[in-house]
Amino acid sequence: MQRESHAIIIGGSLAGLLASRVLAKHFDRVSIVEGDFLPEKPAPRPGIPQSRHLHVLLNRGKIILEEFFPGLENELVAAGAPSLDPRSIEWLTPAGWAPHFSPDVNDLIMFSRDLLDWHIRRRLAENTNVHFLEGGKVTGLLANASRTEVAGVSVRFRDRHNQANIHEENLYADLVVDAGGKVSKTPQWLKSLGYEPPPETTINAFVGYASRIYEGSGKLSDTVPVFVSTAPPFRTRGGGIFPIEGNRWLAILLGGDRDYPPEDEAGFLEFARTLPTPTIYEAIKDAEAITPVYSYRGTENRLRHYERLARYPENLIIIGHAVCAFNPIYGQGMTVAALDAQMLDKCLQKQRERYPEGDLTGLARQFQQKLAKLHTTPWTFAISQDSRYPGSEGAKLNLATRLTIDYMDLVLKVMVQDAKVCQAFLQVMHMNESPALLFHPSIAVKAIGQLVTVAQKAELI
């Protein structure tokens, strides 16, 4: 009788949930070890401290999630998640207001993170080979005698009804996936097994944001969704207001260079009043708040270079924020988690073609190398934006990156005047197209033409 194959996922974050959807296709049993006791309905939980803030699923991410969970978009809409035509959203870019046109991207589905996670967990529960092990904290990796392969994890479990009741357990598996987020302990665990921890790159613009949810009545019912981008180094403040399920609106305020929005009501409103457009302030000043103001400041970009390690154990994969965490304000996180899971699926399919009997030799290293390439574009976008803040720490940009930043400034200036350029920019922003699209001659000529315009104006002065 053939032995049952088993995969373990550390963490029930979105990255972990999507990875479990993929692993369920390739393994007989999938166990998700999650430190929280999961809520029975959409609700915040301690393990996702950012869930109370604005979440945007980019078009590419929405497509992948629909492939993983057919009908998910309709389920979210049926649960009250508003579907927004991108033309209905006002966007104040660093160069001015974006033009209105018919974009190639589909409608945006706006929802709370709690609603999305709950629906995905519910869909995963329909798979009889996916199991949630709640109240479990992974304390270390198990390895074979030579420490060349990861063989499982050690877990400390709490009892749901008596959390003082704790027991330890070793769980063995053919593959361990760390989706434990920014608090991942894999670098320390690798060191305890005799491996070098990965080098890290951290870039911190000290961006913080604060959010509050309001009842969608009164003026809010007629409010136009708006997002105000920061424009460092000149403008450190921004924000947005969008509808979410339950006839509610979520307002978010943000500031870089430690210009954090206050957590008290008066300070929150005053911060909103200072933005370059009054839309958000006018919408919330008399609105009925149904939550306190929640703040979040853990926005540093952190990249762990597992692909650079000279020695790397078999059967260990790291995904999501455990390997690459972006400043959340750019809205890339959920879509990149979907791309990570998609990449994992492709690598496992190729591995099965190479070793039909199920041998996983070489999979882990190959996956981390491919993942590093996948993360290059969203990482570069995030750090290129955060490096603009004067107080940003850790940013050491090479000449090519600096030239790219300068070029993108020119593209933004063209974008607010040219709907076709704006359309191309949105395709790249939603990860439907490569950034190479913005270097197409039809766009480059217009962007570089801005330099000529500036030079001509300088001569006239």
Side-chain angles (χ1 to χ4, degrees):
M1 185 175 179
Q2 188 176 4
R3 183 179 63 85
E4 180 183 65
S5 60
H6 184 207
I8 290 175
I9 300 173
I10 303 171
S13 64
L14 185 63
L17 296 177
L18 299 183
S20 70
R21 171 65 182 87
V22 167
L23 294 175
K25 296 167 53 179
H26 300 277
F27 292 84
D28 298 319
R29 183 162 54 101
V30 178
S31 301
I32 304 172
V33 182
E34 168 54 49
D36 287 342
F37 293 103
L38 300 171
E40 296 182 359
K41 61 182 181 178
R45 62 185 181 89
I48 311 290
Q50 200 205 343
S51 70
R52 299 179 187 273
H53 303 277
L54 180 67
H55 282 75
V56 176
L57 185 61
L58 303 179
N59 195 241
R60 181 77 179 278
K62 188 172 73 167
I63 291 170
I64 296 173
L65 260 63
E66 191 67 20
E67 291 174 355
F68 286 166
F69 306 100
L72 177 63
E73 180 177 341
N74 289 336
E75 289 181 8
L76 292 170
V77 172
S83 179
L84 296 185
D85 184 332
R87 290 173 295 183
S88 71
I89 302 171
E90 301 284 351
W91 177 26
L92 182 57
T93 78
W97 290 101
H100 287 275
F101 60 93
S102 297
D104 287 337
V105 296
N106 297 327
D107 288 357
L108 293 177
I109 308 300
M110 303 305 301
F111 46 75
S112 69
R113 174 65 182 274
D114 305 325
L115 183 71
L116 178 67
D117 283 13
W118 184 84
H119 274 275
I120 290 178
R121 289 198 303 269
R122 188 182 64 82
R123 293 291 291 271
L124 286 172
E126 296 172 359
N127 291 331
T128 57
N129 60 335
V130 175
H131 306 274
F132 288 89
L133 307 182
E134 303 174 39
K137 179 181 179 181
V138 175
T139 57
L141 299 174
L142 305 175
N144 62 352
S146 60
R147 296 190 171 184
T148 57
E149 298 179 3
V150 168
V153 295
S154 54
V155 186
R156 180 180 299 120
F157 283 103
R158 294 173 292 126
D159 185 274
R160 179 187 290 270
H161 305 291
N162 180 10
Q163 297 193 25
N165 185 7
I166 296 173
H167 73 278
E168 303 275 350
E169 189 174 342
N170 289 338
L171 304 178
Y172 294 91
D174 303 279
L175 182 69
V176 172
V177 177
D178 181 6
K182 295 170 68 172
V183 297
S184 165
K185 301 297 182 184
T186 291
Q188 298 92 309
W189 295 337
L190 285 177
K191 189 174 183 179
S192 69
L193 294 177
Y195 292 84
E196 288 293 323
E200 293 188 6
T201 301
T202 303
I203 297 174
N204 194 349
F206 300 98
V207 174
Y209 47 92
S211 300
R212 198 174 201 187
I213 296 176
Y214 296 85
E215 185 69 41
S217 57
K219 285 185 179 180
L220 266 180
S221 59
D222 298 321
T223 295
V224 175
V226 63
F227 187 76
V228 180
S229 297
T230 59
F234 309 108
R235 188 174 76 233
T236 60
R237 294 186 174 188
I241 185 164
F242 289 87
I244 59 173
E245 75 276 3
N247 189 31
R248 300 175 298 166
W249 284 71
L250 190 153
I252 182 170
L253 304 177
L254 60 117
D257 263 352
R258 296 186 172 89
D259 184 16
Y260 302 127
E263 297 180 41
D264 64 286
E265 182 173 4
F268 188 80
L269 285 172
E270 176 59 23
F271 193 100
R273 193 185 63 80
T274 66
L275 297 181
T277 174
T279 305
I280 300 173
Y281 173 74
E282 290 295 333
I284 66 175
K285 67 176 183 178
D286 297 317
E288 181 182 350
I290 54 179
T291 70
V293 177
Y294 292 102
S295 67
Y296 187 83
R297 298 180 182 179
T299 61
E300 68 277 5
N301 305 278
R302 178 178 291 113
L303 181 60
R304 293 184 171 121
H305 300 277
Y306 287 100
E307 79 284 358
R308 295 183 186 175
L309 294 179
R311 293 177 60 243
Y312 190 81
E314 300 285 356
N315 308 334
L316 174 65
I317 279 175
I318 303 97
I319 62 171
H321 285 175
V323 60
C324 186
F326 313 98
N327 183 341
I329 205 62
Y330 302 122
Q332 302 181 108
M334 294 195 298
T335 296
V336 172
L339 289 167
D340 287 2
Q342 190 179 58
M343 176 67 74
L344 178 59
D345 193 20
K346 291 178 180 178
C347 286
L348 282 167
Q349 288 175 8
K350 289 184 178 179
Q351 187 76 13
R352 297 301 186 191
E353 292 170 4
R354 190 179 299 116
Y355 300 107
E357 71 281 4
D359 190 341
L360 299 179
T361 301
L363 170 69
R365 177 178 289 279
Q366 181 186 61
F367 175 77
Q368 298 304 148
Q369 291 172 345
K370 288 182 177 295
L371 201 65
K373 294 179 181 178
L374 175 66
H375 289 161
T376 298
T377 296
W379 172 261
T380 301
F381 176 82
I383 67 169
S384 66
Q385 296 300 309
D386 280 3
S387 67
R388 298 168 188 258
Y389 291 95
S392 180
E393 293 183 356
K396 297 179 181 178
L397 305 181
N398 57 31
L399 178 60
T401 303
R402 291 188 181 279
L403 289 174
T404 300
I405 292 173
D406 292 341
Y407 176 78
M408 292 309 300
D409 283 341
L410 297 174
V411 171
L412 283 172
K413 291 177 181 178
V414 174
M415 186 187 80
V416 299
Q417 306 167 16
D418 191 314
K420 290 185 178 179
V421 175
C422 188
Q423 191 162 2
F425 187 89
L426 285 175
Q427 286 291 340
V428 173
M429 187 178 74
H430 280 269
M431 299 187 185
N432 290 326
E433 296 284 351
S434 163
L437 176 64
L438 299 178
F439 291 86
H440 188 276
S442 63
I443 295 177
V445 168
K446 296 175 181 178
I448 296 173
Q450 294 289 311
L451 295 176
V452 177
T453 302
V454 171
Q456 290 174 339
K457 289 181 178 179
E459 290 180 359
L460 295 174
I461 296 176

